[in-house]
Amino acid sequence: MLEIKDLHVNVFGKEILKGLSLKVPPGEVHAIMGPNGAGKSTTSYTLAGRAGYEVTGGQIDLFGEDITGLSPEERAAKGIFLAFQYPLEIPGVSTMNFLKTAMNAQAKLRGEKELDAAQFLRIVRAAAKELNISEDMLKRPLNVGFSGGEKKRNETLQMALLKPKLAILDEMDSGLDIDALKLVAEGVNKLRAPDRSFLVITHYQRLLDYIQPDVIHILSGGKIVLSGDKSLALQLEENGYDAVINKAA
Amino acid sequence: MGKVVSLDNLLASMEARRTDVAPWLGALLGEAGEKFAHLGLPNRRVEAWRYSDLAKALHESVKLEADADAPPEFPGACLAAFENGVLVDKLSSYCAMGAISLRKALAQQDPAVAAHIGKINPQQDHPIVNLNTALMEEGLVLHVPRDVTMATPLHLRFNWSDVETQGDDGRHLRLLVVLEEGASATIFESHDGAPSFATIVSEFRLAANSSLRHIRLENFAAAARQTAVTLAEIGEKATYRGFYLSQGGHFARHEALLKLAGEQSFAEMDGAYLVADKRHCDNTTVVTHAAPNTASKQTFRGVLAGAGRGVYQGCVQVEQAAQKTDAKQLSRALLLSHRAEIVTKPELEIFADDVKCSHGATAGELDANALFFLRARGIPEAQARALLVEAFLAEALDTIGDEVLRAPAAEMVRKWLARHAGEASHVE
């Protein structure tokens, strides 16, 4: 599904990713862990196509198609979804209006039929109920005045509605207490499917207790230095990044 | 090409206007004419006109295009239809609410006119107010008696479709609205097409406990040249609420000069301006707090695209007697293009010591983070930009409250966004 080949990325003229390679087969959950400054956020923004993240070498393939030069909206239409570490507050745009605009925009980009108002309402209400998101939250401006947990639940709702092929969860656990984390992880786990892959980007092992990965990659100095199963996370927890990375080197 | 409006033409017309009128009116017109002859057409050497040089704009040639939208329909309102600066009775229904034309009121020597005109928040040295007074002929007078609530809004529809009929001295319209104690009214102004040069001066007297809702939509064509002045004197516990929406023109300026004259009076203004191409839009306000315990609140939001130019000058004056004044002022501008320009000039003149006055101004581009967020959800860039601009303006539109009054404003915003909001700031 996703294949990143020898990716080099500059941000503000400074090279942050220095030959990142990674393969995520369909249906699998891969985690990228790494110390601060390793290039975790750069990886997620580059995959989503953010301006200012300049690819200087290598490429990103999705289902065998090179998507390196595509705009964020084109990537979204092809099935890439980035759950933001800090979801944006947008005053003046209701959550409902935003969801409808996004769903219809993606349908249009894919050449599919847009939803009518009744279909849309039915789908949104059902998905919102699953995630314990109230009707009131849907009417409020997007993320304005939402708690950390509400914002992440809202991200999960968007994921459920947009049905991505590849979901990138960027530090999903930041700003969440244990109860909120459990609820969000439960929402994510429900979305696991044979044709959907996840890339879970996290600093802490804690999140991986709730969203169990098939493979863990350790990112350091802009490239993957070590990959393994979930026991890798426990090693990190015990010995810290330095020890594990040094041992790998 | 528009007509050439010159100082000489204006002064000659004033001379002609003064012949064969009643002595009281002759004196009023004469005095204003003399003042104007002394002041001249305002230009950038006059501080209040520094960023909006009317004299220069009147010398520039304008390209007339048939790009005007049709004026908004307003079902249920009483209509005063001004076509190319002339009040057309057969299109109007204002008589139903007791309004009369200024022409008639002046001819009949209406005592209300003599008592109030030129006397509401008077501006002795204002070039445009003097110009307008010296040439006033067309207009409307509305008198709302004590404790009467006008059931329907008054729609003042100014439509400028034909330059040839507008004369070489411009058109100068005058409105006088007197609300007696406890009265209330809604006035909805629409300005469409391209006046070659128009001045409109509106005088509102709000007696104690009265309230006025005032909505202005300037949906001008690109060639429009107009400068309008709203003068209001707001009595004890009376309320003025203004909403101003403009898409500018070759030269479009609106001044709101409000005087909070009675205790516990309140004035609120919400403005939005959408300025694209090479248009110019000026919002100038002067709020004078002249009595204790008065409050004012103004919020102006601008969206500037292309080589559009917006001006916001907001002055709050607090007189010595006006203790416990609460005045708030906020200006926010969104620049969609590197060629667009916003000039913001807040001024506070405070002569009382126990007051709360705040002002703030911001100007910036669309938030890059928000834009990326929307695009990452699959919303194309132009649509994402439009959504963010719409969101920025929604807060202004929401202040209108009433859905019927809001609809024409929302429609104007929607049309403008469809034309201009997708314009990108970084690809100029």
Side-chain angles (χ1 to χ4, degrees):
Chain A
M1 165 164 301
L2 174 71
E3 187 172 3
I4 304 172
K5 300 173 194 165
D6 193 28
L7 194 65
H8 292 256
V9 174
N10 281 7
V11 183
F12 294 116
K14 192 181 169 211
E15 188 170 54
I16 305 291
L17 296 187
K18 302 168 181 171
L20 175 73
S21 295
L22 186 71
K23 252 189 207 180
V24 185
E28 291 194 2
V29 176
H30 286 217
I32 295 182
M33 299 187 71
N36 289 328
K40 297 195 299 293
S41 286
T42 299
T43 304
S44 55
Y45 282 145
T46 305
L47 289 175
R50 182 164 195 162
Y53 290 75
E54 188 199 348
V55 176
T56 56
Q59 72 179 59
I60 305 162
D61 285 1
L62 191 70
F63 297 113
E65 183 195 351
D66 181 9
I67 61 160
T68 318
L70 297 187
S71 68
E73 54 268 34
E74 288 167 323
R75 295 178 196 217
K78 290 194 182 298
I80 289 188
F81 179 94
L82 171 63
F84 282 64
Q85 180 178 5
Y86 301 108
L88 272 287
E89 295 187 7
I90 306 189
V93 178
S94 77
T95 305
M96 205 65 137
N97 180 19
F98 160 72
L99 292 172
K100 193 174 177 187
T101 308
M103 285 171 77
N104 283 337
Q106 288 205 14
K108 207 171 157 187
L109 284 170
R110 285 196 289 259
E112 295 164 8
K113 217 174 145 255
E114 294 180 12
L115 295 169
D116 69 36
Q119 283 173 317
F120 167 76
L121 269 182
R122 203 167 50 239
I123 294 170
V124 170
R125 283 194 178 132
K129 205 175 159 196
E130 291 262 311
L131 287 159
N132 201 12
I133 290 171
S134 66
E135 191 82 4
D136 177 59
M137 262 174 77
L138 293 173
K139 281 183 191 150
R140 272 153 56 190
L142 187 64
N143 292 327
V144 177
F146 286 23
S147 70
E150 285 174 327
K151 283 180 185 171
K152 293 295 164 80
R153 258 146 62 202
N154 199 0
E155 291 285 287
T156 313
L157 173 67
Q158 291 159 41
M159 200 191 321
L161 293 169
L162 295 169
K163 299 192 173 66
K165 300 286 181 222
L166 173 72
I168 304 156
L169 313 183
D170 189 5
E171 309 276 2
M172 197 75 183
D173 53 337
S174 57
L176 295 189
D177 59 30
I178 286 294
D179 290 342
L181 177 59
K182 275 184 184 166
L183 194 63
V184 168
E186 212 173 276
V188 170
N189 285 328
K190 273 187 199 158
L191 294 172
R192 291 179 75 153
D195 62 346
R196 180 172 294 142
S197 309
F198 287 84
L199 200 54
V200 181
I201 292 172
T202 183
H203 186 83
Y204 297 106
Q205 186 266 339
R206 176 177 87 150
L207 176 65
L208 304 180
D209 289 341
Y210 300 96
I211 302 173
Q212 300 232 339
D214 298 299
V215 181
I216 292 176
H217 306 278
I218 294 172
L219 180 67
S220 176
K223 54 169 93 171
I224 303 294
V225 293
L226 190 64
S227 299
D229 63 16
K230 61 188 172 199
S231 64
L232 206 50
L234 299 173
Q235 283 182 43
L236 283 175
E237 189 77 357
E238 262 170 44
N239 306 319
Y241 279 109
D242 280 349
V244 174
I245 291 167
N246 287 337
K247 207 171 133 195
Chain B
M1 283 287 295
K3 300 245 178 167
V4 179
V5 176
S6 68
L7 190 60
D8 288 345
N9 289 345
L10 290 167
L11 294 176
S13 298
M14 287 175 188
E15 188 82 42
R17 173 76 184 94
R18 283 198 293 272
T19 52
D20 294 331
V21 296
W24 73 270
L25 184 57
L28 184 66
L29 301 181
E31 198 186 328
E34 269 170 41
K35 283 251 171 66
F36 175 72
H38 175 67
L39 294 163
L41 281 164
N43 60 46
R44 64 187 163 79
R45 287 185 295 278
V46 179
E47 180 59 25
W49 297 81
R50 191 167 162 192
Y51 306 104
S52 296
D53 190 329
L54 179 63
K56 181 165 166 266
L58 290 176
H59 273 104
E60 288 162 349
S61 64
V62 291
K63 209 172 120 205
L64 291 169
E65 290 164 34
D67 63 346
D69 294 320
E73 292 295 324
F74 209 121
C78 277
L79 177 65
F82 293 86
E83 292 291 325
N84 300 304
V86 177
L87 180 57
V88 182
D89 278 345
K90 67 175 194 293
L91 296 176
S92 302
S93 58
Y94 60 84
C95 298
M97 70 194 308
I100 63 167
S101 75
L102 181 70
R103 194 181 283 277
K104 206 180 222 177
L106 291 175
Q108 294 171 348
Q109 307 207 30
D110 188 314
V113 173
H116 297 292
I117 212 152
K119 296 189 175 118
I120 297 175
N121 195 10
Q123 307 289 319
Q124 301 297 342
D125 298 311
H126 194 297
I128 297 304
V129 173
N130 280 305
L131 164 64
N132 183 281
T133 302
L135 285 171
M136 67 179 172
E137 198 160 14
E138 286 286 0
L140 200 74
V141 178
L142 175 67
H143 186 232
V144 185
R146 194 179 173 135
D147 293 328
V148 169
T149 296
M150 302 304 299
T152 55
L154 172 62
H155 179 190
L156 299 162
R157 194 178 76 188
F158 303 95
N159 188 33
W160 308 85
S161 55
D162 180 9
V163 170
E164 294 312 309
T165 60
Q166 292 176 21
D168 58 8
D169 55 354
R171 292 288 180 188
H172 307 279
L173 307 166
R174 188 73 162 225
L175 305 163
L176 174 65
V177 176
V178 177
L179 301 186
E180 298 282 4
E181 271 190 44
S184 78
T186 296
I187 293 178
F188 178 94
E189 292 178 29
S190 62
H191 302 261
D192 292 85
S196 87
F197 174 48
T199 70
I200 300 181
V201 172
S202 308
E203 295 187 73
F204 298 141
R205 182 175 299 285
L206 279 69
N209 295 306
S210 66
S211 77
L212 179 65
R213 188 77 179 97
H214 182 212
I215 292 174
R216 307 182 79 250
L217 301 189
E218 288 183 354
N219 194 19
F220 285 132
R225 291 188 292 217
Q226 177 174 288
T227 178
V229 184
T230 295
L231 300 164
E233 224 169 281
I234 305 159
E236 197 182 330
K237 293 183 182 164
T239 300
Y240 170 88
R241 291 176 66 215
F243 174 85
Y244 316 138
L245 177 64
S246 177
Q247 61 174 0
H250 183 74
F251 184 99
R253 169 160 160 141
H254 175 242
E255 296 178 37
L257 312 179
L258 313 179
K259 185 175 186 177
L260 293 157
E263 280 202 44
Q264 296 181 59
S265 56
F266 175 62
E268 182 177 52
M269 288 181 276
D270 285 284
Y273 48 99
L274 316 166
V275 194
D277 306 320
K278 287 180 177 172
R279 290 179 183 232
H280 181 92
C281 180
D282 178 331
N283 279 285
T284 292
T285 68
V286 179
V287 179
T288 307
H289 290 259
N293 295 303
T294 52
S296 68
K297 188 173 167 239
Q298 47 184 320
T299 309
F300 282 81
R301 286 161 192 270
V303 179
L304 300 121
R309 190 163 196 253
V311 177
Y312 169 69
Q313 309 185 96
C315 177
V316 172
Q317 302 173 328
V318 182
E319 294 183 357
Q320 205 169 358
Q323 299 296 352
K324 307 279 182 197
T325 281
D326 184 357
K328 295 192 184 76
Q329 189 189 72
L330 183 65
S331 161
R332 292 183 62 192
L334 204 51
L335 295 156
L336 301 184
S337 141
H338 288 322
R339 291 178 297 141
E341 193 185 342
I342 172 73
V343 179
T344 308
K345 196 176 84 175
E347 282 178 280
L348 294 171
E349 298 170 7
I350 302 172
F351 296 96
D353 47 24
D354 185 10
V355 301
K356 271 199 294 190
C357 292
S358 69
H359 69 89
T362 63
E365 298 180 7
L366 284 175
D367 178 12
N369 289 323
L371 201 56
F372 172 63
F373 179 74
L374 295 175
R375 295 180 69 191
R377 292 293 174 264
I379 302 171
E381 184 174 6
Q383 197 183 350
R385 286 183 173 276
L387 194 65
L388 291 176
V389 177
E390 197 182 345
F392 173 74
L393 293 169
E395 293 178 61
L397 288 174
D398 286 347
T399 61
I400 301 180
D402 183 89
E403 191 47 43
V404 177
L405 292 172
R406 186 182 184 275
E411 175 65 10
M412 186 176 142
V413 168
R414 197 190 58 72
K415 274 191 188 155
W416 192 90
L417 288 175
R419 282 183 208 134
H420 301 291
E423 290 176 18
S425 54
H426 52 273
V427 282
E428 293 277 343

